[in-house]
Every structure is written in C-alpha cells, then in structure tokens.
Amino acid sequence: MPQSEKPAPRREGPVPERERAVSSSEARAAERTQLAGAIRRSPSGSTKRPNRVIEPAEDAKPIPAKSFSGRLLALAVVLVAVTVLLAPSLNTYLQQQAELNALRQDIARQEQVQADHQTELARWNDPAYIKQQARDRIFLVMPGETRYLVKGGQGIEDASLAGSDAKPEDLPWVDSLWSTVTRAATD
C-alpha cells in the first residue's frame, strides 16, 4: 500500500461488516507506515550529526556526579557479607597452612637427625672405631700396652679423688658455714 494513502475517515452509525474489516486493517497498515516513516526521518535516532561542537554556556553550573547510588550500597552490602562469611574460613585455612609448614620443617629436621644417627650407627660396625671409643671413653688398653694419665694442665683430672684432707669438726652451724666458704675459696 503506498504511503500517500490515508485511512478512511470513520463514519458514525452502523457500518457494514465487510467495510468495517477492510477499513480497520487498512487503518492499522497506514498507521504502521506513518510511524515507520517518522522513525526513519527522526534526527534523534542512532545517527549523530557529524562535527557537532558543544559550546558551554557562560552561566551554566556543572552538574555534580552522582556519588552514591542504590547499586553502590547493594554492592557494599554484598562485599561485607562475603567478607564476614569468608573471614573465619580464610583464617582457619591460613592457620592450617602455617601449621603444615611448621610440621614439614619439623619432619625435615627429624629426617636430618635420623640420617645423623644412621651414620653414627654405621660407624659402630667398624672395629677400629670401637677400639678408639674404648680407649677414649673407658681407658681400655690392648694387652702389652701401658696407659699413662697426666693430671693437670690439659690432661684429665678426676674431681672425685681430689678433696680436702681436713677432718670435719663439731662447730656451730655459722662457723661450719664460714669454714666451708673459706675452704672452697682456697682449695
């Protein structure tokens, strides 16, 4: 149907059935055509004017930006809720990771100690090492050897044999204490 046709004017009174059906469909078609043409001709559609320069007005006040909105509030509430719900779990996770790292370090240290003990145990399978330890620790000597102990200086001194030759006397406790202090300082 061409665009130039206009819908038929409505008549007052009874309209025959065939004429009523044709006129209402024609009227709707014409209305759609008119709207489509208006939309195509409208300058406020998706097409913009090229090289449009915006000139600020001298007395115009700037419009402040909207700094607070409902969306921002909803986002803040959601973030706080997520933080509150996840904080204990995150804290537990971090504590368990720290404990796990400490246990791993303890295991590594104990494995090192075990390796040292295995090395020491392997040494005791060597007869020469056993003889050396017997000589150093309990002063054993092989048959036909003579062992000499040098006292003083850098040698071994047995403290149980060295003692005071003074006989204990029956003194009052204060005098006994004082004699013990003087003996300890002079011996």
Side-chain angles (χ1 to χ4, degrees):
M1 181 181 277
Q3 286 183 343
S4 60
E5 286 187 34
K6 295 198 177 198
R10 294 189 134 194
R11 290 188 233 164
E12 304 267 338
V15 178
E17 180 127 352
R18 184 168 188 257
E19 196 176 308
R20 189 180 327 142
V22 172
S23 66
S24 65
S25 65
E26 286 176 359
R28 276 187 272 136
E31 205 174 306
R32 278 185 290 214
T33 306
Q34 185 180 10
L35 282 172
I39 291 173
R40 286 187 196 122
R41 281 184 253 123
S42 171
S44 64
S46 62
T47 61
K48 294 184 180 177
R49 287 188 232 166
N51 298 330
R52 184 176 175 202
V53 178
I54 300 174
E55 296 180 20
E58 297 297 325
D59 296 332
K61 293 181 182 178
I63 300 171
K66 195 173 186 180
S67 62
F68 185 75
S69 68
R71 288 182 187 175
L72 184 61
L73 179 64
L75 179 64
V77 168
V78 168
L79 288 177
V80 167
V82 167
T83 303
V84 166
L85 291 175
L86 291 181
S89 299
L90 183 63
N91 187 22
T92 303
Y93 173 76
L94 292 176
Q95 285 177 348
Q96 287 176 349
Q97 287 298 320
E99 185 178 337
L100 188 61
N101 289 337
L103 290 173
R104 285 180 181 152
Q105 290 175 353
D106 189 41
I107 288 171
R109 184 184 52 78
Q110 287 182 2
E111 285 176 348
Q112 180 62 38
V113 169
Q114 182 183 9
D116 293 343
H117 288 303
Q118 290 293 334
T119 305
E120 182 70 24
L121 186 61
R123 286 171 141 180
W124 285 97
N125 290 331
D126 182 19
Y129 182 75
I130 294 173
K131 286 180 184 177
Q132 169 69 33
Q133 292 299 314
R135 288 174 189 253
D136 291 343
R137 292 183 182 192
I138 55 176
F139 308 114
L140 289 180
V141 292
M142 294 298 285
E145 293 180 353
T146 306
R147 174 84 183 200
Y148 294 100
L149 291 177
V150 179
K151 291 188 176 187
Q154 298 172 349
I156 299 172
E157 186 174 328
D158 190 6
S160 63
L161 298 179
S164 172
D165 292 335
K167 295 181 182 178
E169 300 176 15
D170 291 333
L171 297 173
W173 71 271
V174 175
D175 294 334
S176 175
L177 177 66
W178 183 250
S179 67
T180 305
V181 169
T182 56
R183 230 178 330 150
T186 58
D187 286 349

